[in-house]
Amino acid sequence: MTKSIVCLQKLSHRQQDLIRDAAPGYTLTLGDGKAPDLAQLAEAEIVIGWGKGISDTLLSAESPLRWVQAWSAGVEKLPLAALENKGILLTNASGVHAEPITAVIFGFMLLFTRNLHTAVRNQLNRKWHSEGSESELTGKTAVIAGTGSIGSETARIAKAFRMTTIGVSRSGKPVEGFDEVYTTDRLQDAVSQGDFLINTLPLTDETRLMFGADIFAVCKQGSYYINIGRGATTDTQALMDALNSGHLAGAGLDVFETEPLPEDHPLWGMEQVVITPHCAGVTDRYADRVVEIFTENMKSYLKSGTPSRNLVDYSRQY
């Protein structure tokens, strides 16, 4: 009997061929995550992506679903408890974003150190002006919360700028590129040393609102906060208070507690804040990288019944 893979994302012909080559004996059907065909999904053993209104079909007693390959690194929007209860394997797209997101992180850092964000505003007003407060990254310390693929790539590039790199992770295990790695319970100790606090963390029960008034209070005077992880890891009001008081010199934000960020939100009017619309991970190479992860996992799945890469630990929610 032919087995079914349903992909709820657009794929090029080449990407489809790569999946078919890696999955002999399976059919590949392209669906639409915004208007999913439930009859199609009811026959799927493997689903790539996710969509609204498909949970009941995929989690029914009759569903043959065994594996979901998420299209994103974060999986907090998926019905994790139900997937775990059914014993469904879940893999994420961790690693896909490292290069583009690292570029955005350094974009924020360079904007702030060289005052390029104010230069752009001045150009719009045909204003020739500099405060003379430009600095540089050399010799600065980057505290990076999360030592996974994004954090590690950020640390690697930071070394090219001759920066000091401090990581924060649950385990505190040494990771290449970091001068030191602290455990999460020592987050305040790490943060107090940073010129830049960079949040790359996923959203879990443990990380929700992790960055609040207590953390911003121990940040170095005049340091910067960058969040490209998940908006709900940060207490937005506490962040704005730290910015308005001048304790934090600025913030580069790609993610927010509420998205899209409401038009009347005060963050829009803060000149020391640079906002991007949750696009740090967007790249024209995104689908290629997810397909690479999937095809590698497919080969392992056929051999052992379990994907080898990016398998989500339900107890950790990532």
Side-chain angles (χ1 to χ4, degrees):
M1 180 179 176
T2 302
K3 299 179 179 182
S4 172
I5 301 170
V6 176
C7 180
L8 297 173
Q9 297 286 335
K10 293 181 180 179
L11 298 173
S12 68
H13 291 301
R14 176 180 172 278
Q15 291 159 354
Q16 294 175 51
D17 289 342
L18 287 170
I19 291 175
R20 291 190 177 101
D21 289 345
Y26 284 78
T27 61
L28 172 64
T29 305
L30 296 187
D32 183 349
K34 295 181 179 179
D37 183 330
L38 296 183
Q40 193 180 77
L41 289 166
E43 304 296 325
E45 177 183 323
I46 302 169
V47 171
I48 304 173
W50 198 259
K52 291 184 178 179
I54 67 175
S55 294
D56 289 347
T57 299
L58 290 178
L59 297 172
S60 71
E62 300 78 20
S63 172
L65 182 68
R66 292 186 60 197
W67 170 24
V68 174
Q69 169 65 60
W71 199 254
S72 61
V75 294
E76 71 276 2
K77 294 182 180 180
L78 273 64
L80 298 181
L83 289 168
E84 181 181 18
N85 288 339
K86 282 211 67 179
I88 294 169
L89 300 164
L90 174 62
T91 52
N92 65 18
S94 180
V96 168
H97 312 81
E99 286 83 358
I101 289 183
T102 297
V104 171
I105 290 169
F106 278 91
F108 285 142
M109 292 166 74
L110 291 166
L111 280 170
F112 289 130
T113 54
R114 303 307 304 163
N115 287 338
L116 297 177
H117 57 313
T118 57
V120 170
R121 294 191 183 100
N122 288 338
Q123 180 180 349
L124 292 173
N125 294 314
R126 300 175 180 267
K127 183 180 180 181
W128 182 278
H129 178 72
S130 167
E131 296 289 344
S133 59
E134 285 75 18
S135 184
E136 55 190 74
L137 296 181
T138 302
K140 297 290 197 302
T141 296
V143 175
I144 305 169
T147 59
S149 59
I150 296 169
S152 296
E153 179 68 2
T154 301
R156 185 183 74 83
I157 299 299
K159 285 303 174 185
F161 286 93
R162 299 191 294 282
M163 298 180 73
T164 298
T165 52
I166 297 174
V168 181
S169 70
R170 291 184 63 170
S171 69
K173 291 180 180 178
V175 177
E176 185 176 356
F178 289 94
D179 295 302
E180 196 170 2
V181 179
Y182 288 56
T183 52
T184 306
D185 60 359
R186 295 187 62 200
L187 177 61
Q188 291 191 359
D189 294 336
V191 165
S192 66
Q193 302 176 57
D195 299 290
F196 295 92
L197 171 55
I198 302 165
N199 176 2
T200 76
L201 296 176
L203 179 62
T204 67
D205 293 340
E206 181 182 0
T207 65
R208 186 177 296 277
L209 298 179
M210 177 180 283
F211 296 88
D214 57 337
I215 296 299
F216 297 130
V218 298
C219 285
K220 287 174 67 173
Q221 177 73 35
S223 59
Y224 296 89
Y225 179 64
I226 294 171
N227 188 7
I228 52 75
R230 285 293 184 266
T233 61
T234 302
D235 181 334
T236 304
Q237 185 58 56
L239 173 61
M240 291 192 299
D241 289 345
L243 289 164
N244 285 326
S245 72
H247 187 71
L248 289 179
L253 306 174
D254 184 60
V255 291
F256 305 87
E257 286 187 88
T258 301
E259 295 183 359
L261 187 67
E263 290 184 9
D264 60 351
H265 199 286
L267 279 171
W268 287 113
M270 300 176 73
E271 292 192 355
Q272 71 274 52
V273 175
V274 177
I275 291 170
T276 51
H278 202 152
C279 63
V282 175
T283 169
D284 54 2
R285 300 178 62 184
Y286 195 100
D288 283 339
R289 289 174 175 154
V290 177
V291 169
E292 179 184 349
I293 291 170
F294 178 79
T295 53
E296 181 180 326
N297 275 336
M298 189 72 211
K299 293 171 185 176
S300 175
Y301 179 79
L302 290 173
K303 288 181 181 179
S304 66
T306 304
S308 58
R309 185 174 171 186
N310 291 2
L311 189 64
V312 170
D313 181 339
Y314 285 109
S315 68
R316 295 187 176 188
Q317 299 175 292
Y318 64 89

